[in-house]
């Protein structure tokens, strides 16, 4: 039987390789090369197939660790007839879950896929799923910023681990029992029209692409990633329309966005530097939302404004709220936001696109922003005179 001292004392052969079997764990062997390299391997036979697996190198993997790894393979072979489950990576499991579970049943599967690609797979793509521990989950979450994102990622990885558990690919989920890192509160922040005017004016100071992006974000009431990913091919400026492909929307629903006259004017003035309307390199769409928001807040303050505790997403909620105040029906606002239709009648039979109603809503909203901006500009000199 191999011991720590025996493993350390094993001499390399004059040529070739020699294997030293472990009597305690059947299948575990120490392979020693002529150059002195020591490697742990596992060899077993199941049916007509011989399994050969490299476990690791000594001394990076000691005898105890090698036996633990070998016992996992023994258990997998006894349960499944193969060692595939032990070798399966988190990336492979996540891909299988997206394809077999999320995509057929969940409208938001593209969002889940993006979260995986951005926040999970860079760290875990090639990690064997059986080797991921609770500490790894906590470390992953600790690297994430934001009030909501860590919770969303935890929910996502819990779902994938539960899927692996249901397939008997793991014996226990390392994510179970971990509480959400953040305490979430549903946001109800609605920007006043004074807030909107201050943001609108400060956006001009940002320049391309960020300034026009902020203004289109306010005018269209679409999600920040949808506006950032806007492509020239999806725009028809003569018809004043923007069609968002289903693949680019949260709900995987193609979305028709009528553009107000102000939005068309902004878009016509922009340079065409590639596929994307808003780009910093001509190859990909703009990102860095947090940095953009910080610069925008600085310009708001520099121009004498003050918008308290707001986020980019508040522009969307505020647009919807003010549209209702302006007399737009809530069902039309729902279509403006590309929310899913409720009920069988709405989903299957009432297929009216609400195009004219949405256009009226966007025009009314653009006019309201313009009125607020003019009023804010008129008030600024008066405030300066009063301050003097």
């Amino acid at each position: 039987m191999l011991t720590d001292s025996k493993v350390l004392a094993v001499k390399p052969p004059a040529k070739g390789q020699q294997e030293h079997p472990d009597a305690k764990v059947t299948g575990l062997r120490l392979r020693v090369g002529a150059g002195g390299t020591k490697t742990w391997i596992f060899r077993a036979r199941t049916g007509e197939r011989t399994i050969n697996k490299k476990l690791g190198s000594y001394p990076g993997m000691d005898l105890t660790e090698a036996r633990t790894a070998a016992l996992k393979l023994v258990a997998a072979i006894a349960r499944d007839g193969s060692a595939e489950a032990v070798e399966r990576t988190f990336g492979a499991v996540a891909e299988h879950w997206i394809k077999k579970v999320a995509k057929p049943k969940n409208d938001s599967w593209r969002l889940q896929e993006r979260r995986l690609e951005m926040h999970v797979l860079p760290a875990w793509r090639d990690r064997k799923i059986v080797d991921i521990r609770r500490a790894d989950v906590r470390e992953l979450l600790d690297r994430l910023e934001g009030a909501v994102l860590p919770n969303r990622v935890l929910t996502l990885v819990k779902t994938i681990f539960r899927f692996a558990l249901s397939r008997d690919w793991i014996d226990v989920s390392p994510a179970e029992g971990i509480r959400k890192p953040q305490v979430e509160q549903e946001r109800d922040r609605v920007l006043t029209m004074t807030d909107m005017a201050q943001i609108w004016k400060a956006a001009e100071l940002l320049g391309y692409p960020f300034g026009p992006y902020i203004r289109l974000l306010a005018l269209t009431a679409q999600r920040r990633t949808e506006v950032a990913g806007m492509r020239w091919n999806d725009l028809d400026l003569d018809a004043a329309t923007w069609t968002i492909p289903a693949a680019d929307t949260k709900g995987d629903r193609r979305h028709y966005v009528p553009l107000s006259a102000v939005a068309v004017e902004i878009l016509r003035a922009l340079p065409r530097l590639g596929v994307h309307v808003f780009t910093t390199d001509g190859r990909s769409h703009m990102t860095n939302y947090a940095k953009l928001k910080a610069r925008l807040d600085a310009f708001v303050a520099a121009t004498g404004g003050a918008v308290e505790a707001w986020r980019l997403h508040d522009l969307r909620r505020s647009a919807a709220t003010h549209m209702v105040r302006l007399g737009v029906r809530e069902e039309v606002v729902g279509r403006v936001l590309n929310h899913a239709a409720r009920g069988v009648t709405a989903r299957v039979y009432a297929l009216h696109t609400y195009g004219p109603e949405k256009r009226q809503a966007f025009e009314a909203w653009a006019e309201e922003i313009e009125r607020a901006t003019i009023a804010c500009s008129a008030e600024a000199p008066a405030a300066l005179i009063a301050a003097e």
Side-chain angles (χ1 to χ4, degrees):
M1 183 175 69
L2 293 176
T3 63
D4 290 327
S5 58
K6 286 182 180 179
V7 171
L8 180 64
V10 169
K11 302 297 183 182
K15 59 180 181 179
Q17 298 175 331
Q18 284 184 349
E19 293 184 359
H20 302 267
D22 181 33
K24 186 173 183 178
V25 178
T26 303
L28 177 63
R29 294 167 176 265
L30 178 67
R31 177 183 290 168
V32 184
T37 301
K38 298 178 180 179
T39 306
W40 296 108
I41 64 169
F42 177 82
R43 183 180 299 125
R45 189 171 183 81
T46 174
E48 298 181 356
R49 180 186 172 194
T50 299
I51 297 173
N52 279 291
K53 294 286 183 184
K54 176 183 174 180
L55 303 180
S57 299
Y58 180 85
M61 175 182 278
D62 63 23
L63 177 59
T64 300
E65 292 169 332
R67 282 173 172 163
T68 299
L71 286 171
K72 288 182 180 179
L73 291 171
V74 171
I77 292 170
R79 183 181 63 239
D80 305 325
S82 73
E84 182 181 356
V86 177
E87 297 298 305
R88 193 173 280 109
T89 64
F90 183 90
V93 174
E95 181 180 358
H96 195 77
W97 175 77
I98 287 286
K99 183 178 180 181
K100 298 295 185 181
V101 179
K103 190 172 182 179
K105 299 180 179 180
N106 193 337
D107 286 342
S108 64
W109 70 272
R110 291 185 187 277
L111 175 63
Q112 308 289 17
E113 188 175 49
R114 284 196 293 271
R115 281 186 179 142
L116 284 168
E117 288 291 344
M118 293 177 63
H119 306 298
V120 183
L121 294 183
W124 289 357
R125 187 188 305 275
D126 298 322
R127 286 282 302 273
K128 294 177 182 178
I129 192 168
V130 296
D131 290 340
I132 297 175
R133 299 289 179 261
R134 289 173 63 84
D136 298 318
V137 178
R138 294 190 185 280
E139 182 180 352
L140 178 77
L141 298 176
D142 287 344
R143 292 201 299 263
L144 301 177
E145 298 179 353
V148 175
L149 181 61
N151 294 353
R152 298 293 182 268
V153 171
L154 175 60
T155 299
L156 178 57
V157 297
K158 273 186 177 181
T159 301
I160 293 173
F161 279 121
R162 286 169 182 169
F163 170 71
L165 195 62
S166 72
R167 303 295 293 265
D168 293 327
W169 292 342
I170 56 175
D171 295 324
V172 64
S173 167
E176 291 303 320
I178 295 181
R179 294 184 177 181
K180 290 183 177 181
Q182 303 288 351
V183 177
E184 292 185 35
Q185 294 181 346
E186 185 176 349
R187 286 185 63 80
D188 57 2
R189 176 75 162 98
V190 175
L191 299 168
T192 67
M193 291 312 300
T194 299
D195 293 334
M196 293 296 303
Q198 292 175 355
I199 292 167
W200 182 271
K201 289 168 59 181
E204 184 176 10
L205 302 175
L206 291 170
Y208 176 84
F210 303 118
Y213 165 75
I214 289 295
R215 289 187 167 183
L216 263 294
L217 198 62
L219 288 168
T220 63
Q222 303 309 302
R223 296 178 176 86
R224 69 178 191 178
T225 53
E226 294 168 351
V227 177
M230 182 187 290
R231 300 178 181 86
W232 288 110
N233 287 344
D234 297 329
L235 293 169
D236 185 339
L237 297 184
D238 292 331
T241 60
W242 170 31
T243 304
I244 310 177
D248 294 339
T249 66
K250 180 180 178 181
D252 201 24
R253 291 182 298 274
R254 186 170 179 264
H255 187 34
Y256 164 75
V257 182
L259 298 171
S260 64
V262 177
V264 171
E265 182 181 358
I266 292 172
L267 289 166
R268 287 193 186 280
L270 299 183
R272 299 203 177 201
L273 304 178
V275 173
H276 295 283
V277 176
F278 303 109
T279 178
T280 57
D281 59 11
R283 296 186 301 274
S284 58
H285 68 73
M286 55 156 283
T287 52
N288 295 327
Y289 306 109
K291 186 176 181 180
L292 159 63
K293 171 65 165 48
R295 288 183 59 200
L296 182 59
D297 285 339
F299 281 129
V300 168
T303 53
V307 181
E308 297 182 2
W310 73 287
R311 300 176 187 171
L312 292 180
H313 189 77
D314 295 339
L315 292 171
R316 174 175 165 88
R317 184 188 305 104
S318 301
T321 301
H322 287 295
M323 283 181 185
V324 174
R325 176 178 60 80
L326 293 170
V328 180
R329 301 196 313 273
E330 289 188 15
E331 61 186 294
V332 176
V333 173
R335 298 304 177 103
V336 163
L337 300 176
N338 198 21
H339 286 168
R342 302 288 182 180
V344 175
T345 301
R347 292 196 310 269
V348 180
Y349 299 104
L351 300 180
H352 177 49
T353 63
Y354 288 83
E357 292 90 341
K358 289 195 292 184
R359 184 172 296 282
Q360 291 173 5
F362 281 120
E363 289 292 354
W365 174 232
E367 291 172 4
E368 183 71 358
I369 292 176
E370 184 178 13
R371 281 195 295 270
T373 304
I374 293 172
C376 187
S377 298
E379 291 171 2
L384 290 174
I385 293 172
E388 293 175 355

